[in-house]
């Protein structure tokens, strides 16, 4: 919750950070040219040498910022992109601190997290919602160990990953769920070639369940899946910046999951690295495994002179059988994210930011002939693309659509802003094994928010206060409900 990745994105639009960084696979890796302390100074020149570090020869250590994040919902679950915090009502808290050390090519980050989730009662229905018990938990949090040389890193990590250009949502990977243990092979900077620059990340990890929480992709209902083994996750993102098209990036992301089973005859490539197989389903069928995949394409176009960017992501929740299947029903199981950001520099290193984003996760009109179900709940793996029952990708909710817009004044860590969000709760309804129709009653959330940020000496404060007005709550016609959502993060820089 240090917000540093997003601050680096602002610095990029302001021309203070290399525009050749795509920022399509995060976390952002600082380099010798611009280290951790340099980035803080670029955000706020008065920060000076506030980060405690020790260096001797090839050894270097840094005390990472300590943070306490708090979240509150007064009457119903709301809010996303909050890592291990849950989609529930009442008070929640997440605390974290740690250290980063490196020796030669070895990098170690130890940053465990403590989570408290105090679930409160709220109004539910047979279709949505379930009150869960409170939780106190300690995890590895944002910890990792890796080897890095020549812009390539390989290691083991529990860190949250974000793939894609979205500010509020991306289709495959965000910080909506808790981080999961994974092996990673990735770039830490663009790799330059005669054709342009490339960035990539390849991961192989394990996804887990939480028996005390409801599934975000199943109407927040709990399910007894103790008879199911853990799931294996394999994902890849590849980003390309053409040499002849500056400030324009293209990427493709692909992810598979399957149950961890040891069946004789299973092919190694299909079992552990299916993302490297051919695109179409008829080329990699393997009946020894139950597996699902999702795929997306994205682009980000920077305009540094105008301090602006536009971006888009388009993806499928189901593999296409072949090229004919793709052309005949291109809308089947599709979702997308589009958005833009514009910064207008002012005096004293301040700027105005305006941004907007639209996310479409509900089914397309082709559902009338061929239902794809909602994203993150495909057929073979019943948990869907979740970790600890939380959606790995767009956290706006199960089959939802959203539009968001915001305006803010920023100076260093100071921020004052207003936001508006419109969220349509799962507008498509399936009845029976094949009958599909549009809901007659629509549940819409209209959210009006205030955002703020402030730095006092070594303390950074960021806050988000929202009034959520729900029309036809729980799809009950004429029934409206209000909710207060509050999120405040306190960061201490040693």
């Amino acid at each position: 919750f240090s917000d540093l990745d997003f601050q680096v994105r602002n610095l990029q639009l302001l021309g203070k950070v290399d525009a050749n960084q795509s920022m399509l696979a995060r976390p952002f890796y600082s380099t010798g040219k611009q280290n951790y302390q340099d980035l803080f100074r670029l955000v706020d020149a008065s920060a000076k040498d506030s980060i405690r570090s020790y260096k001797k020869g090839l050894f270097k250590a840094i005390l990472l910022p300590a943070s306490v994040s708090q979240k509150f919902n007064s009457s119903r679950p709301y809010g996303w992109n909050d890592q291990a915090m849950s989609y529930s009502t009442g008070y929640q808290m997440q605390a974290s601190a740690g250290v980063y050390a490196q020796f030669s090519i070895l990098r170690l980050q130890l940053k465990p997290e403590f989570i408290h989730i105090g679930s409160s009662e709220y109004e539910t229905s047979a279709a949505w919602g379930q009150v869960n018990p409170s939780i106190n938990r300690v995890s590895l949090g944002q910890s990792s160990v890796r080897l890095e040389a020549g812009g390539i890193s390989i290691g083991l990590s529990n860190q949250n990953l974000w793939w894609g250009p979205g500010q509020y949502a991306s289709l495959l990977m965000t910080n909506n769920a808790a981080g999961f243990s994974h092996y990673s092979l990735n770039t830490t900077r663009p790799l330059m070639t005669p054709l342009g620059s490339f960035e990539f990340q390849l991961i192989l990890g394990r996804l887990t369940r939480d028996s005390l929480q409801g599934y975000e992709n199943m109407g927040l209902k709990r399910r007894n899946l103790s008879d199911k083994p853990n799931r294996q996750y394999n994902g890849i993102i590849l980003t390309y910046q053409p040499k002849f098209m500056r400030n324009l990036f293209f990427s493709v992301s692909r992810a598979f999951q399957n149950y961890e089973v040891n069946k004789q005859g299973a092919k190694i490539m299909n079992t552990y690295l299916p993302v490297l197989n051919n695109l179409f389903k008829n080329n990699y069928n393997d009946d020894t495994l139950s597996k699902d995949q999702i795929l997306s394409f994205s682009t980000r176009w920077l305009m540094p002179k105008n301090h602006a960017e536009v971006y888009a992501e388009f993806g499928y929740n189901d593999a296409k059988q072949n090229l004919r299947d793709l052309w005949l029903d291109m809308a089947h199981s599709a979702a997308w994210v589009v958005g833009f950001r514009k910064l207008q520099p002012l005096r004293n290193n301040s700027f105005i930011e305006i941004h907007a984003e639209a996310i479409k996760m509900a089914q397309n009109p082709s559902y009338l002939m061929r239902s794809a179900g909602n994203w993150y709940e495909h057929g073979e793996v019943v948990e869907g693309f979740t970790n600890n029952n939380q959606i790995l990708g767009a956290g706006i909710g199960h089959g939802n659509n959203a539009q968001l817009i915001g305006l803010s004044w920023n100076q260093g860590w100071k921020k004052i802003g207003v936001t508006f969000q419109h969220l349509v709760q799962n507008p498509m309804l399936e009845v029976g094994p094949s009958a599909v129709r549009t809901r007659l009653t629509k549940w819409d959330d209209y959210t009006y928010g205030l955002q703020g940020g402030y730095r006092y000496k070594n303390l950074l404060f960021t806050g988000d206060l929202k009034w959520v007005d729900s029309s036809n709550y729980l799809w009950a016609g004429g029934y409206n409900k209000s909710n207060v959502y509050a999120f405040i993060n306190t960061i201490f820089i040693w």
Side-chain angles (χ1 to χ4, degrees):
F1 290 109
S2 70
D3 202 30
L4 189 58
D5 277 0
F6 194 72
Q7 291 287 354
V8 171
R9 193 160 166 171
N10 284 340
L11 293 173
Q12 194 177 47
L13 296 186
L14 293 171
K16 298 180 180 180
V17 169
D18 185 8
N20 290 316
Q21 294 271 8
S22 72
M23 300 298 290
L24 293 177
R26 290 166 272 167
F28 174 80
Y29 291 90
S30 59
T31 66
K33 294 181 179 179
Q34 285 183 324
N35 59 33
Y36 198 44
Q37 177 68 67
D38 294 333
L39 294 174
F40 270 80
R41 287 198 195 100
L42 288 172
V43 175
D44 185 355
S46 65
K48 299 182 180 179
D49 295 323
S50 56
I51 297 176
R52 295 286 183 88
S53 63
Y54 172 81
K55 185 176 183 180
K56 185 174 182 179
L58 295 177
F59 177 79
K60 182 179 182 180
I62 298 174
L63 280 175
L64 297 174
S67 66
V68 177
S69 303
Q70 301 173 86
K71 173 182 172 181
F72 175 77
N73 277 299
S74 64
S75 61
R76 52 151 292 198
Y78 195 84
W80 57 91
N81 294 347
D82 47 23
Q83 298 179 0
M85 292 185 179
S86 81
Y87 197 69
S88 60
T89 308
Y91 175 77
Q92 303 183 49
M93 185 267 286
Q94 176 171 315
S96 178
V99 62
Y100 169 85
Q102 68 180 57
F103 179 77
S104 185
I105 64 172
L106 177 64
R107 310 285 191 268
L108 172 66
Q109 179 167 300
L110 183 61
K111 202 169 190 294
E113 295 171 347
F114 169 76
I115 308 295
H116 166 73
I117 300 173
S119 298
S120 300
E121 296 285 335
Y122 66 96
E123 188 175 1
T124 66
S125 70
W128 192 87
Q130 184 168 0
V131 178
N132 300 304
S134 62
I135 294 175
N136 291 304
R137 176 180 297 152
V138 176
S139 74
L140 287 173
Q142 307 304 306
S143 301
S144 67
V145 57
R146 56 192 179 88
L147 301 175
E148 180 185 326
I152 300 293
S153 170
I154 183 171
L156 176 64
S157 173
N158 200 72
Q159 289 177 280
N160 277 98
L161 305 175
W162 187 297
W163 290 355
Q167 176 177 344
Y168 290 96
S170 280
L171 298 183
L172 266 66
M173 193 84 72
T174 68
N175 61 355
N176 182 65
F180 59 91
S181 298
H182 61 272
Y183 297 100
S184 177
L185 174 65
N186 60 276
T187 56
T188 59
R189 56 176 171 80
L191 302 181
M192 310 304 294
T193 73
L195 299 177
S197 64
F198 291 88
E199 302 170 53
F200 71 87
Q201 183 167 34
L202 174 67
I203 67 170
L204 177 62
R206 170 182 284 187
L207 304 175
T208 56
R209 295 182 296 271
D210 187 344
S211 61
L212 300 178
Q213 296 294 303
Y215 282 84
E216 289 185 353
N217 61 333
M218 298 174 185
L220 301 182
K221 301 294 185 180
R222 292 200 298 271
R223 300 182 66 182
N224 183 10
L225 300 175
S226 58
D227 59 322
K228 299 289 186 182
N230 286 327
R231 288 158 293 144
Q232 178 178 286
Y233 182 95
N234 179 214
I236 189 172
I237 179 171
L238 176 64
T239 301
Y240 171 57
Q241 181 186 26
K243 192 176 183 65
F244 55 89
M245 300 176 72
R246 295 186 61 186
N247 305 322
L248 186 61
F249 303 91
F250 302 94
S251 78
V252 57
S253 307
R254 191 184 192 190
F256 277 81
Q257 66 168 342
N258 58 263
Y259 290 118
E260 291 181 335
V261 292
N262 185 18
K263 290 188 175 182
Q264 294 182 354
K267 298 178 182 179
I268 293 178
M269 186 64 72
N270 284 351
T271 306
Y272 297 103
L273 294 171
V275 295
L276 301 181
N277 277 328
N278 292 324
L279 179 63
F280 295 115
K281 190 186 295 186
N282 62 359
N283 291 319
Y284 62 82
N285 279 334
D286 182 359
D287 295 333
T288 60
L289 292 173
S290 294
K291 55 183 179 291
D292 289 332
Q293 78 154 312
I294 47 180
L295 174 76
S296 79
F297 304 91
S298 61
T299 183
R300 180 174 180 236
W301 182 19
L302 299 181
M303 293 163 275
K305 292 183 179 179
N306 300 103
H307 312 293
E309 65 172 317
V310 294
Y311 55 85
E313 183 178 16
F314 181 86
Y316 288 111
N317 187 41
D318 188 14
K320 298 300 181 181
Q321 188 69 28
N322 47 41
L323 189 59
R324 179 178 181 273
D325 184 19
L326 174 64
W327 286 118
L328 288 178
D329 193 0
M330 295 190 71
H332 175 69
S333 73
W336 48 259
V337 179
V338 296
F340 80 91
R341 296 177 63 236
K342 163 68 176 174
L343 309 185
Q344 181 58 51
L346 304 173
R347 294 181 178 180
N348 301 322
N349 292 320
S350 64
F351 61 89
I352 299 292
E353 178 197 354
I354 182 170
H355 64 266
E357 187 167 297
I359 306 116
K360 187 265 178 196
M361 304 296 299
Q363 291 204 63
N364 291 288
S366 67
Y367 77 92
L368 293 170
M369 297 293 295
R370 181 188 180 194
S371 175
N374 286 315
W375 265 67
Y376 312 121
E377 58 158 359
H378 204 55
E380 296 291 340
V381 182
V382 294
E383 296 93 333
F385 281 88
T386 62
N387 185 52
N388 282 351
N389 307 10
Q390 295 180 282
I391 291 172
L392 287 172
I396 63 170
H398 175 71
N400 295 352
N401 298 331
Q403 304 86 41
L404 313 99
I405 188 168
L407 176 68
S408 64
W409 172 86
N410 303 261
Q411 185 183 51
W413 297 99
K414 298 177 183 177
K415 179 175 183 175
I416 301 174
V418 293
T419 60
F420 171 75
Q421 302 174 3
H422 171 226
L423 193 146
V424 184
Q425 295 273 358
N426 195 8
M428 306 303 177
L429 177 66
E430 297 190 21
V431 181
S434 59
V436 187
R437 64 178 174 85
T438 302
R439 291 185 187 272
L440 299 179
T441 302
K442 300 296 179 66
W443 171 7
D444 293 272
D445 293 329
Y446 301 93
T447 303
Y448 312 87
L450 297 174
Q451 292 182 329
Y454 187 73
R455 174 175 173 265
Y456 176 74
K457 296 184 178 180
N458 285 21
L459 287 172
L460 304 177
F461 301 95
T462 58
D464 193 5
L465 180 65
K466 290 184 170 70
W467 175 268
V468 186
D469 185 15
S470 300
S471 173
N472 301 325
Y473 179 66
L474 298 177
W475 300 285
Y479 180 43
N480 298 339
K481 191 177 187 69
S482 297
N483 174 64
V484 175
Y485 165 89
F487 185 95
I488 184 169
N489 187 32
T490 305
I491 302 170
F492 177 73
I493 304 174
W494 304 95

